[in-house]
Amino acid sequence: MTDSAAVLREHHHADVSGGWLRAATFGAMDGLVTNIALIAGVGGGGVDRHTLILTGVAGLVAGAISMGLGEYTSVRTQNDQVAAELRKELHELRVNPEGEAQELIRTWTARGLPEPLARQVADVLKANPEQALRVHAQEELGVVPDELPSPWTAAISSFLCFCVGAVVPLLTYLLGFDSLAAALTVGGAGLFVAGAVVSRFTSTPWWRSGLRQLLLGAAAAGATYVIGALIGVGVS
């Protein structure tokens, strides 16, 4: 491939600003770990299949609602804070454009840009407050004003993925089986698969990511199982 062809070749990046990936990943993992640990805990206490299903479904509904509301509130609060900072920055750009331009010049020259060029770009931005706001937001706040994550996207992604994750360890019971070991095995497989899928968005090997999630989930399930067994023995 020639140099010119390499320059013309399109270069794509994953969308990391929409707010859905983190929420979806956290929701699915939390749903899996929460219900695996919950089922292990009550199962360790020796309850029957009906009680396990009731407990798992209650955990699914409560957890999904909590995750959705939490993600919406978190992202909305963050966006409101950014909006407040942007209003302050826009006010400064209007009442003190020269001072704001000097901030950019100092920032860029500190990074190695020639001062005459930095001053030229800053002077051009002074004539366009909206574009200047975008540049200042990126330089000072580390955000792009028109690419803030959507609180609704985060909430819905988290809610749905929590539901999917939480139903996995319940599958064997819903299908009529009455085996805690089978439920935990299916849940563990779900954790490994979820971890492997997440590795597609990172540079981590799929097997390492899957194994990491499996071990974390196993630790949570082991702890709650022991607690459930102790309490079950104590009250029996």
Side-chain angles (χ1 to χ4, degrees):
M1 181 181 292
T2 63
D3 291 341
S4 59
V7 171
L8 294 174
R9 184 178 62 185
E10 293 185 0
H11 185 64
H12 297 285
H13 290 285
D15 178 13
V16 296
S17 60
W20 68 270
L21 180 57
R22 181 193 62 84
T25 302
F26 186 43
M29 294 301 180
D30 197 32
L32 277 162
V33 174
T34 296
N35 253 14
I36 288 172
L38 189 60
I39 290 171
V42 295
V47 302
D48 57 30
R49 172 176 167 269
H50 176 76
T51 303
L52 272 168
I53 293 176
L54 178 60
T55 302
V57 171
L60 185 156
V61 174
I65 293 174
S66 177
M67 286 292 296
L69 292 176
E71 282 293 337
Y72 179 86
T73 302
S74 174
V75 176
R76 182 60 183 268
T77 300
Q78 179 181 342
N79 286 356
D80 288 346
Q81 183 181 19
V82 171
E85 293 299 320
L86 290 176
R87 287 193 294 270
K88 293 179 185 178
E89 192 65 38
L90 183 59
H91 175 74
E92 290 297 321
L93 286 169
R94 288 171 174 168
V95 301
N96 186 24
E98 182 58 33
E100 293 298 304
Q102 288 298 325
E103 285 187 11
L104 288 180
I105 293 171
R106 288 194 296 269
T107 299
W108 290 336
T109 53
R111 295 177 182 174
L113 196 68
E115 183 173 348
L117 179 57
R119 185 174 300 279
Q120 181 181 2
V121 176
D123 287 341
V124 171
L125 288 174
K126 282 196 298 184
N128 189 340
E130 291 186 1
Q131 186 60 31
L133 177 63
R134 182 184 177 93
V135 174
H136 277 274
Q138 289 178 278
E139 295 290 350
E140 298 179 23
L141 303 177
V143 299
V144 180
D146 54 355
E147 294 182 7
L148 295 177
S150 165
W152 283 110
T153 298
I156 294 172
S157 298
S158 181
F159 178 89
L160 294 178
C161 290
F162 186 98
C163 289
V164 172
V167 80
V168 170
L170 282 174
L171 287 176
T172 57
Y173 288 108
L174 294 174
L175 292 174
F177 297 95
D178 189 8
S179 170
L180 178 60
L184 296 180
T185 299
V186 171
L191 280 171
F192 185 87
V193 170
V197 170
V198 168
S199 70
R200 296 190 60 184
F201 303 99
T202 68
S203 59
T204 306
W206 64 270
W207 58 268
R208 182 180 299 171
S209 180
L211 185 60
R212 178 177 59 194
Q213 296 304 326
L214 176 59
L215 292 176
L216 291 174
T224 55
Y225 179 85
V226 170
I227 293 173
L230 292 174
I231 293 176
V233 171
V235 298
S236 60

